Amino acid sequence: MDDRSFVAAQDFLLSAKTYWSTTMYRTLRDKSAAANKDVVDEQVETVASIAQCIEDAPLYQFYAWLERHLQRMKYAGRYGLVPYHHERRDDLLSALNQAFDAEKILDIDTSLALPAYYTGVDIHQHPGGVWSDAIAGMVYERGARTTTPLTGAAEKDVHERFTDLVLGECSPTTVLDMGCGFGKSTQPFVRRLPDSSIDAVDLSAPCLRLAADTALQSQAGNVRFRQMNACDTDFDADSFDLVTSTMVLHELPPKTIEELLDEAFRVLSPGGRMVHLDFYCVPDAFRRFVHYGHARRNNEPYMQPLAELDLSVLVESKGFVDVEITPFQESDRVDLNADDAWRFPWTVISATKPEGAAS
Ligand SMILES: C[S@@+](CC[C@H](N)C(=O)[O-])C[C@H]1O[C@@H](n2cnc3c(N)ncnc32)[C@H](O)[C@@H]1O
């Protein structure tokens, strides 16, 4: 497959996804509101009442089918990300900088046991997930460029905006990014905190290799990437001023979220802040119905359980104080008070480990 065909096909898929996110979404929303009006008052709409009204309607069936299959075509099939990268495998791997050891920027743990929730599903419909193939990090990186189709190329992306928010409230000298993927969530902290020490962990060796390669290219000397389970790290207790994660909690079963919170509490210094960016505050029943459907169609089995957790109570039960859970505007083009396009329910979840707390 040549580059031009691949790019054209992926552009087409993105345009179709944009149509799905806007025109189709609005039509579905209006149809759902009209159908529900005959059955229940808007105030008492639930996911179940909405499902009852529109799940069998041809519009919803097509909406759901299109979402599932646009994502499938993004990764697999004739113009998919996986076959495209597979054809270029040798070149891609030989282009990765091999100076990791010399720079001590990457630590891969070949004996690390990957949890069953992680290996048991092809997350995002990515064949083999983000961990099983040496080129999976590059496939994921390319795919992630179009995760938020409505974000303009010229504006600050979601990770930059999140970093602005976090660093507007604290000036950490030690940072841990849990579930850093290919480093996109880590990079803004690395750039903005040149004198701080930044650690980033993930389960995926292919993603970590790409993250380290990118850091080497930018000559960042303040970051280390390590293959570790974020719920069970090797870091000393009380060793970070700031612990963050971006788009990780919704990939974890509830019990694993608890373990991650326990680990964040352990490694944070007293007075340190934990800040997660994830998908949580869903404003109404229709968007909840659509969000749960998205989770199923995108192979994300723990998205719905996260949205149904009482996170505030859970985080406090782990010993944290000053818990804040607030909707997050991921793009200048988004109006948090409007419902004119499909979007993720971006949310910032933050809390402090109290001064004097024992780990
Ligand atoms: C959606 S990606 C987000 C990556 C990155 N934070 C970003 O914003 O681009 C979720 C990441 O969490 C990682 N992950 C899942 N469970 C994990 C765990 N228990 N420990 C460490 N990383 C984990 C996955 O390998 C994946 O890279």
Side-chain angles (χ1 to χ4, degrees):
M1 175 195 336
D2 62 87
D3 283 350
R4 218 170 139 207
S5 302
F6 169 74
V7 170
Q10 291 284 328
D11 282 353
F12 167 76
L13 292 174
L14 181 58
S15 298
K17 183 81 188 270
T18 305
Y19 172 78
W20 171 91
S21 315
T22 53
T23 310
M24 269 194 101
Y25 174 83
R26 288 193 287 269
T27 312
L28 184 71
R29 178 202 60 194
D30 294 348
K31 188 173 175 71
S32 166
N36 260 266
K37 218 175 189 170
D38 299 335
V39 185
V40 291
D41 189 271
E42 193 188 327
Q43 306 301 322
V44 292
E45 274 182 2
T46 61
V47 172
S49 77
I50 289 170
Q52 203 184 348
C53 285
I54 60 167
E55 225 163 36
D56 291 334
L59 175 65
Y60 178 69
Q61 301 261 317
F62 182 45
Y63 174 89
W65 181 92
L66 192 60
E67 180 179 27
R68 174 81 182 165
H69 290 281
L70 286 176
Q71 183 72 4
R72 178 181 61 75
M73 286 188 277
K74 175 171 169 171
Y75 277 100
R78 186 162 176 192
Y79 298 110
L81 291 159
V82 168
Y84 174 79
H85 285 80
H86 179 70
E87 281 177 16
R88 291 154 180 78
R89 167 180 302 273
D90 294 344
D91 291 344
L92 289 169
L93 291 175
S94 60
L96 274 185
N97 198 317
Q98 302 299 323
F100 300 138
D101 286 347
E103 300 292 334
K104 297 200 179 349
I105 199 167
L106 177 67
D107 188 359
I108 295 294
D109 177 0
T110 48
S111 65
L112 182 70
L114 301 180
Y117 78 82
Y118 187 67
T119 54
V121 67
D122 282 353
I123 196 92
H124 313 144
Q125 293 199 57
H126 179 162
V130 298
W131 58 275
S132 68
D133 187 329
I135 56 170
M138 295 171 223
V139 172
Y140 178 39
E141 186 281 324
R142 186 77 181 230
R145 294 185 203 174
T146 51
T147 303
T148 49
L150 298 184
T151 306
E155 64 176 311
K156 272 191 181 177
D157 85 345
V158 68
H159 294 99
E160 296 285 351
R161 297 172 77 100
F162 175 61
T163 309
D164 283 351
L165 185 117
V166 175
L167 297 186
E169 292 175 357
C170 61
S171 309
T173 53
T174 44
V175 180
L176 173 61
D177 183 18
M178 291 177 147
C180 62
F182 59 89
K184 188 146 183 292
S185 50
T186 323
Q187 284 157 20
F189 288 101
V190 171
R191 275 196 301 275
R192 303 267 298 271
L193 298 170
D195 299 325
S196 299
S197 163
I198 311 214
D199 282 283
V201 299
D202 203 282
L203 293 172
S204 161
C207 284
L208 289 163
R209 286 206 175 84
L210 182 57
D213 182 65
T214 308
L216 274 181
Q217 283 181 31
S218 62
Q219 298 182 327
N222 55 342
V223 63
R224 299 283 175 273
F225 293 94
R226 295 166 207 239
Q227 189 179 19
M228 283 185 195
N229 190 327
C231 306
D232 180 23
T233 71
D234 289 350
F235 299 113
D236 290 341
D238 305 343
S239 47
F240 294 98
D241 303 333
L242 172 69
V243 171
T244 70
S245 83
T246 307
M247 296 190 281
V248 177
L249 299 182
H250 74 275
E251 294 195 357
L252 312 181
K255 192 172 156 293
T256 310
I257 293 180
E258 287 209 38
E259 290 165 3
L260 182 138
L261 294 174
D262 285 335
E263 186 64 359
F265 191 88
R266 188 186 72 79
V267 299
L268 267 177
S269 318
R273 192 86 175 146
M274 167 182 85
V275 195
H276 305 283
L277 177 63
D278 226 291
F279 311 133
Y280 183 66
C281 291
V282 192
D284 57 46
F286 175 70
R287 281 178 274 192
R288 195 167 280 274
F289 167 77
V290 164
H291 185 54
Y292 293 173
H294 168 77
R296 289 193 300 276
R297 295 185 280 273
N298 220 39
N299 290 1
E300 310 219 38
Y302 303 108
M303 212 172 224
Q304 177 169 343
L306 171 68
E308 290 176 344
L309 269 185
D310 189 337
L311 263 186
S312 181
V313 167
L314 182 64
V315 171
E316 273 176 6
S317 76
K318 299 296 174 189
F320 289 97
V321 294
D322 300 332
V323 180
E324 287 177 29
I325 299 185
T326 4
F328 177 78
Q329 189 190 357
E330 76 279 18
S331 155
D332 290 338
R333 298 182 187 197
V334 165
D335 176 354
L336 285 182
N337 299 312
D339 181 23
D340 53 358
W342 179 90
R343 62 181 283 272
F344 286 111
W346 292 98
T347 304
V348 174
I349 301 119
S350 50
T352 300
K353 176 168 170 176
E355 295 287 356
S359 297

